[in-house]
Amino acid sequence: MISPPSATLFTGAQIARRIVYLALSDPNVSDATPLYLGNLEWKRPNGISKTLIVYGMAPEATHFTSPAIASQLEGLKLADHVLLDSQIRDLSDDENSSSLAHLSTENPATFEINGKTISAIGTFKLGSGFGSDGALFVSDQTFQRLLHESSPGTPSHVLINVQSGVDPQTVVLELKKRLSSELVQVRTTAQALADDVAYMNTQVPMGIIFGFGVFIGVLVGIVIVYQVLSADVAAHIREYATFKAMGYTHRFLLTIVMEEAVIVAIIGFFPGIFLGALIYKIMGSATDLPLAMTTTRALTVLLGTISACAISGALATVRLRNTDPAELF
């Protein structure tokens, strides 16, 4: 749950902590906990500053974290104890990065953030993003000590676990009715992720630029393949005329060109996907962003390439549709 309208995890105002107790009054809700979000500048001894997202949560809320974090939450009950993101951008260049793998309550790493001396007792993997270099995971009490402007009565989100066997979407609809008088937006995790992706793709300038680049790339590809297939059709115009004179339909001629279009798509796909994966790897290494060519994305590109080439093939055969075979000789 988050305050409306909130397009992403990090936008929107805080909500009242009492929403937690209102959510727990639903019999289909097994547990609920507030989540606090904030940003801090971590000034390193070498003079470099890193922007960290701070996640604050009650140490008892083990059901809302990954197993790797849940096993370390007990240590966060001590004041100013934190879990440090091991994937912080350029952390490998830090002189103390080699000791991160051995952090524990008995062997913490101490450093200063926002005027407070804190102790890192463990790590987790998250990584950097467009707006941060990494993250910290802390208890709700330590969160209030690090970010003085925050209030324990106004978390950023309320996380909910539903009872086993209950459809989350059913709980969403029920909570929307129950909390209709409150300024709160209720979503499943899947819906929250979809909203975040849609916002990044359609509202953020970077997403719009990338989307426009994809559109231009597809358009240029259609034109190039059209020129190739159109030239091939023109070079074999007599053969196509013979087929029409023999009584073959335009659909048959279209099938021939479509086969060529599919062959062109498949031949172009493999070097394209190889170069794309290589560019992903280079960009991921340069920015520390989790960029990778997934199987789903590769299949989507393949289907898109075949569709674009099919459009080019259909356009290349337009000339043959209404042409008299006698005129083609």
Side-chain angles (χ1 to χ4, degrees):
M1 292 191 288
I2 190 173
S3 65
S6 298
T8 69
L9 184 67
F10 303 102
T11 60
Q14 286 76 27
I15 59 179
R17 188 186 176 97
R18 58 188 175 83
I19 297 295
V20 175
Y21 307 104
L22 294 176
L24 287 171
S25 64
D26 190 316
N28 290 324
V29 174
S30 63
D31 196 7
T33 190
L35 172 66
Y36 301 88
L37 298 178
N39 289 282
L40 284 177
E41 287 294 326
W42 183 20
K43 295 183 179 180
R44 305 298 296 131
N46 55 15
I48 298 176
S49 294
K50 299 184 183 296
T51 301
L52 302 181
I53 296 175
V54 185
Y55 297 86
M57 185 184 294
E60 298 80 14
T62 55
H63 298 301
F64 295 94
T65 65
S66 66
I69 293 179
S71 62
Q72 304 179 82
L73 287 181
E74 184 68 23
L76 298 185
K77 292 182 178 180
L78 299 175
D80 300 330
H81 282 50
V82 306
L83 300 181
L84 184 65
D85 184 3
S86 62
Q87 303 297 312
I88 293 176
R89 183 181 286 125
D90 297 330
L91 188 65
S92 58
D93 298 333
D94 190 271
E95 65 276 8
N96 295 321
S97 61
S98 59
S99 63
L100 293 181
H102 307 290
L103 293 180
S104 65
T105 306
E106 295 76 21
N107 182 38
T110 59
F111 48 89
E112 185 175 315
I113 291 183
N114 207 21
K116 295 284 186 181
T117 300
I118 63 176
S119 300
I121 61 170
T123 62
F124 65 101
K125 291 184 178 182
L126 184 60
S128 59
F130 290 109
S132 67
D133 298 306
L136 285 179
F137 198 97
V138 303
S139 69
D140 50 352
Q141 298 299 317
T142 299
F143 185 92
Q144 308 305 325
R145 291 169 58 86
L146 291 177
L147 289 93
H148 307 294
E149 68 278 7
S150 62
S151 170
T154 53
S156 302
H157 301 268
V158 171
L159 307 181
I160 297 172
N161 267 339
V162 301
Q163 296 286 0
S164 178
V166 177
D167 182 11
Q169 192 59 45
T170 301
V171 180
V172 167
L173 296 176
E174 179 60 32
L175 287 176
K176 284 183 177 179
K177 294 178 182 178
R178 187 183 295 267
L179 304 174
S180 58
S181 60
E182 302 288 343
L183 293 176
V184 64
Q185 181 181 1
V186 186
R187 301 177 295 178
T188 62
T189 303
Q191 184 59 52
L193 291 173
D195 291 346
D196 201 316
V197 171
Y199 176 80
M200 294 297 294
N201 288 337
T202 61
Q203 302 297 323
V204 177
M206 185 175 296
I208 296 174
I209 291 173
F210 275 109
F212 188 72
V214 171
F215 172 76
I216 294 298
V218 171
L219 183 62
V220 171
I222 290 176
V223 172
I224 293 175
V225 175
Y226 165 76
Q227 291 177 332
V228 172
L229 296 179
S230 181
D232 182 76
V233 169
H236 298 85
I237 196 70
R238 292 182 180 275
E239 288 84 348
Y240 288 113
T242 301
F243 281 128
K244 292 198 72 173
M246 293 171 62
Y248 285 97
T249 64
H250 179 75
R251 178 176 295 180
F252 175 78
L253 302 182
L254 179 61
T255 301
I256 296 176
V257 178
M258 284 298 179
E259 290 178 356
E260 293 184 51
V262 172
I263 293 173
V264 170
I266 294 176
I267 292 176
F269 169 76
F270 288 103
I273 205 68
F274 172 77
L275 290 175
L278 180 61
I279 292 173
Y280 269 35
K281 186 175 182 179
I282 294 173
M283 291 179 61
S285 177
T287 63
D288 285 338
L289 294 174
L291 301 176
M293 179 62 70
T294 63
T295 302
T296 301
R297 183 173 292 119
L299 291 176
T300 301
V301 171
L302 176 60
L303 293 176
T305 304
I306 293 176
S307 300
C309 290
I311 294 174
S312 299
L315 294 174
T317 58
V318 170
R319 177 183 175 186
L320 299 174
R321 178 179 291 277
N322 299 317
T323 305
D324 191 313
E327 297 177 356
L328 297 177
F329 284 101

